[in-house]
Amino acid sequence: MKRFVAVLICIILASAAVSASAEDTGTRIDIICTSEYRGDFDPSDTDGASAPVDAAYLAALKADSSAALVIDCGNSLYGSPFSVLSGGVFAAELMAQAGFDCAVVGSGDLCFGEDGISRLAGENDVSLISAGLTSIDGVDDGILKEVGSVTVGIIGLTGLDGETSDRFGARELIEATEEVSAGLRAAGADVIIAAGSLGSTDPEAIFSQVTGVDIAVITDISQELTVSGTRVLPVPDAREGVELISLNIKDGAVYSAAARVLTGRELEKMTFSEAAEQKKTDFEASRLNCAGEYGEILSSKLAENKPSGVNLPLGDMLTNNNLGWLAAESLRSYCNTDFALFNAGRIVSGLDTVLITYRNLTDAVPSFERLVTVTVTPKKLYEILENAVSGVKEDGEGYTDPEGKFLQAAGFGFVYDPEAPQNERIKSVVADGGVKLDRSDDETEYTLVATENTNLSDCEKRLSPHTDFDAISEYIANTQLTADFFENGNFERIWRQNDYSRSRSIGVTVVAVCIAVIALAVAVIAVKRRKNRA
């Protein structure tokens, strides 16, 4: 009997220990976080070296978890040729197929404009969220998702500069986040996740004031930190991997959390269940269909010029270049500014102008960056150009720009000396029409357009909802790019000092020879006349 009681007590204690262990563990949910796909959901449309994590593996990863959410932290709708030309539908459709539950509207996604984002929100199975952008129809400030037995609240964060914030009627980020957090908690959220970007807002400033957020996954921080009980985690760019966060929820609160980055290579090596493999296969089939549909768009004709159209080779981008000038002039014409600058490094191949398709153009200029306009004085323009030529150097075979800062120009031209000391390389700047700009002039004002990431010194940038691709494609579609178009030296804007001096020297010599020939002819005629009189 005593032995029976002892055994019974052991069984009870063991059972209690197991129960206590199970209770301590709580309910596990997995959160898969991505960011910055920039529309690159089709590997065939992306350079392999810069391809993001294949979203097919996200579909499989979610399928093999009993309780999982997939959250995109922003800037995944806009970017690739397929996505741009489909108005974001290409990316949105594939995100839905991959199992994304929601996507934060990133600052880059706003290239589609308010109407474009609203249209995507209305036609998309993936919820678009942003606490500050609810003035856009269809965008939610946050959502509730049931994940197993846990109710998860998700808040979208979109960090914007002042001008963009004003244009889209965005709310102040801290105030909006606090309000949404309280609302989600009141609606029954067991755990609240804030996801997205903070822009210029310091993470400690926001999460020290916002209560109730358990986990924050942020794109524009590099290190994990904890602020007033909120664990703030960095989210990698999709080309680096995805963030996998495992939460254990106990008594309606986060009991423990573990996070790790999964690279594309690690995902490729994973073994998935048969059901998960089927999800992966289904996604790949959907992607193939989408790529075929939008591939036809890319193959469509953008412009067809006369047979006398010219081939625009890549050529030397550190001096006169008709393709570089064409890109800059497209921006200037599109925004109706005095001047334009275009980063030469964004042009990667030549362009045959006889028949141009969207694919040809995106191969030559794979650039989808928003435009900005600024007001510059001649003094400020000299500063910008000095920075642009500061990296040019001789490498034994010619001049190179390893830092990729050189800018092609339209509306004006300049002469620079790559051998001169820094900040003394720009020798002259002349506006179209022949007006020479004075380096010391800090009063005369001109308008200038460039792309968002161009170094424009400390000029206040006015952000456009349109991109360089919009500008270049429209210009090409409406311009006959024939040999005649370029024969008058439209693109002759930029000279290196030695080339410029040589050309001036040659020009002077040619003029002198012409004068000498004319003088000789006049003298010969005069001699003949005298003979005739005699």
Side-chain angles (χ1 to χ4, degrees), residues 330-349:
S330 298
L331 271 58
R332 193 184 73 84
S333 174
Y334 193 82
C335 292
N336 193 30
T337 57
D338 299 313
F339 304 148
L341 292 168
F342 191 83
N343 189 290
R346 301 182 77 83
I347 304 173
V348 298
S349 70

Side-chain angles (χ1 to χ4, degrees), residues 139-152:
V139 175
D140 296 315
D141 49 16
I143 58 172
L144 288 172
K145 299 291 289 188
E146 299 295 331
V147 187
S149 60
V150 178
T151 302
V152 180

Side-chain angles (χ1 to χ4, degrees), residues 115-163:
D115 291 341
I117 293 295
S118 181
R119 184 175 60 255
L120 282 174
E123 300 174 355
N124 186 15
D125 290 334
V126 178
S127 298
L128 299 186
I129 60 173
S130 175
L133 291 172
T134 49
S135 59
I136 301 177
D137 289 342
V139 175
D140 296 315
D141 49 16
I143 58 172
L144 288 172
K145 299 291 289 188
E146 299 295 331
V147 187
S149 60
V150 178
T151 302
V152 180
I154 309 168
I155 305 171
L157 304 176
T158 308
L160 301 173
D161 61 52
E163 183 178 347

Side-chain angles (χ1 to χ4, degrees), residues 509-528:
T509 301
V510 169
V511 170
V513 169
C514 289
I515 291 173
V517 169
I518 292 171
L520 179 62
V522 169
V524 170
I525 292 171
V527 170
K528 286 184 177 180

Side-chain angles (χ1 to χ4, degrees), residues 51-74:
V53 168
D54 190 340
Y57 291 100
L58 303 184
L61 195 62
K62 182 175 182 179
D64 263 354
S65 175
S66 58
L69 286 172
V70 182
I71 302 171
D72 182 74
C73 297

Side-chain angles (χ1 to χ4, degrees), residues 23-38:
E23 182 181 349
D24 288 345
T25 301
T27 303
R28 170 176 164 163
I29 61 172
D30 293 322
I31 314 292
I32 304 163
C33 298
T34 67
S35 78
E36 299 284 347
Y37 260 96
R38 301 194 283 277

